[in-house]
mmCIF file of all heavy atoms in Angstrom:
data_model
loop_
_atom_site.group_PDB
_atom_site.id
_atom_site.type_symbol
_atom_site.label_atom_id
_atom_site.label_comp_id
_atom_site.label_asym_id
_atom_site.label_seq_id
_atom_site.Cartn_x
_atom_site.Cartn_y
_atom_site.Cartn_z
ATOM 1 N N LEU M 98 96.895 125.419 -92.781
ATOM 2 C CA LEU M 98 96.529 124.579 -91.635
ATOM 3 C C LEU M 98 96.388 125.374 -90.335
ATOM 4 O O LEU M 98 95.376 125.256 -89.638
ATOM 5 C CB LEU M 98 97.527 123.429 -91.456
ATOM 6 C CG LEU M 98 97.509 122.313 -92.507
ATOM 7 C CD1 LEU M 98 98.509 121.220 -92.141
ATOM 8 C CD2 LEU M 98 96.117 121.722 -92.663
ATOM 9 N N HIS M 123 102.091 124.689 -83.588
ATOM 10 C CA HIS M 123 102.591 123.337 -83.357
ATOM 11 C C HIS M 123 101.940 122.333 -84.314
ATOM 12 O O HIS M 123 102.632 121.496 -84.902
ATOM 13 C CB HIS M 123 102.316 122.907 -81.913
ATOM 14 C CG HIS M 123 103.289 123.455 -80.926
ATOM 15 N ND1 HIS M 123 103.326 124.780 -80.565
ATOM 16 C CD2 HIS M 123 104.282 122.863 -80.222
ATOM 17 C CE1 HIS M 123 104.287 124.970 -79.669
ATOM 18 N NE2 HIS M 123 104.881 123.827 -79.441
ATOM 19 N N TYR M 124 100.607 122.408 -84.445
ATOM 20 C CA TYR M 124 99.919 121.411 -85.265
ATOM 21 C C TYR M 124 100.019 121.707 -86.754
ATOM 22 O O TYR M 124 99.908 120.802 -87.581
ATOM 23 C CB TYR M 124 98.464 121.264 -84.829
ATOM 24 C CG TYR M 124 98.342 120.339 -83.646
ATOM 25 C CD1 TYR M 124 98.544 120.801 -82.361
ATOM 26 C CD2 TYR M 124 98.087 118.992 -83.843
ATOM 27 C CE1 TYR M 124 98.460 119.941 -81.291
ATOM 28 C CE2 TYR M 124 98.008 118.118 -82.777
ATOM 29 C CZ TYR M 124 98.192 118.596 -81.500
ATOM 30 O OH TYR M 124 98.136 117.740 -80.448
ATOM 31 N N GLY M 125 100.234 122.958 -87.099
ATOM 32 C CA GLY M 125 100.456 123.266 -88.499
ATOM 33 C C GLY M 125 101.828 122.788 -88.950
ATOM 34 O O GLY M 125 102.013 122.352 -90.088
ATOM 35 N N SER M 126 102.805 122.835 -88.039
ATOM 36 C CA SER M 126 104.141 122.335 -88.342
ATOM 37 C C SER M 126 104.135 120.801 -88.218
ATOM 38 O O SER M 126 103.070 120.189 -88.090
ATOM 39 C CB SER M 126 105.147 122.982 -87.391
ATOM 40 O OG SER M 126 106.456 122.578 -87.695
ATOM 41 N N VAL M 127 105.296 120.179 -88.289
ATOM 42 C CA VAL M 127 105.321 118.719 -88.434
ATOM 43 C C VAL M 127 106.232 118.053 -87.400
ATOM 44 O O VAL M 127 107.117 118.685 -86.830
ATOM 45 C CB VAL M 127 105.833 118.337 -89.837
ATOM 46 C CG1 VAL M 127 104.839 118.786 -90.884
ATOM 47 C CG2 VAL M 127 107.196 118.937 -90.090
ATOM 48 N N LEU M 260 93.123 116.990 -90.169
ATOM 49 C CA LEU M 260 94.380 117.523 -90.706
ATOM 50 C C LEU M 260 95.020 116.511 -91.650
ATOM 51 O O LEU M 260 95.468 116.846 -92.756
ATOM 52 C CB LEU M 260 95.340 117.879 -89.565
ATOM 53 C CG LEU M 260 94.884 119.010 -88.633
ATOM 54 C CD1 LEU M 260 95.832 119.150 -87.440
ATOM 55 C CD2 LEU M 260 94.805 120.340 -89.383
ATOM 56 N N VAL M 283 100.604 112.012 -92.705
ATOM 57 C CA VAL M 283 101.312 111.955 -91.413
ATOM 58 C C VAL M 283 101.846 113.337 -91.056
ATOM 59 O O VAL M 283 101.724 113.791 -89.902
ATOM 60 C CB VAL M 283 102.454 110.920 -91.475
ATOM 61 C CG1 VAL M 283 103.430 111.115 -90.332
ATOM 62 C CG2 VAL M 283 101.890 109.504 -91.469
ATOM 63 N N LEU M 284 102.448 114.007 -92.027
ATOM 64 C CA LEU M 284 103.008 115.332 -91.756
ATOM 65 C C LEU M 284 101.906 116.301 -91.340
ATOM 66 O O LEU M 284 102.039 117.032 -90.352
ATOM 67 C CB LEU M 284 103.734 115.863 -92.999
ATOM 68 C CG LEU M 284 105.045 115.147 -93.334
ATOM 69 C CD1 LEU M 284 105.614 115.654 -94.652
ATOM 70 C CD2 LEU M 284 106.055 115.354 -92.220
ATOM 71 N N ALA M 285 100.808 116.301 -92.093
ATOM 72 C CA ALA M 285 99.731 117.236 -91.777
ATOM 73 C C ALA M 285 99.107 116.911 -90.422
ATOM 74 O O ALA M 285 98.767 117.803 -89.646
ATOM 75 C CB ALA M 285 98.675 117.188 -92.881
ATOM 76 N N GLY M 286 98.994 115.622 -90.119
ATOM 77 C CA GLY M 286 98.286 115.223 -88.909
ATOM 78 C C GLY M 286 99.137 115.180 -87.657
ATOM 79 O O GLY M 286 98.643 114.817 -86.585
ATOM 80 N N SER M 287 100.410 115.536 -87.748
ATOM 81 C CA SER M 287 101.284 115.450 -86.583
ATOM 82 C C SER M 287 101.636 116.845 -86.081
ATOM 83 O O SER M 287 101.531 117.829 -86.806
ATOM 84 C CB SER M 287 102.566 114.703 -86.942
ATOM 85 O OG SER M 287 103.322 115.444 -87.876
ATOM 86 N N GLY M 288 102.007 116.931 -84.830
ATOM 87 C CA GLY M 288 102.352 118.216 -84.236
ATOM 88 C C GLY M 288 103.843 118.318 -83.949
ATOM 89 O O GLY M 288 104.461 117.374 -83.463
HETATM 90 NA NA1 NA B 416 100.969 119.039 -88.776
#
Side-chain angles (χ1 to χ4, degrees):
Chain M
L98 290 183
H123 280 71
Y124 277 84
S126 183
V127 294
L260 295 173
V283 164
L284 289 174
S287 66

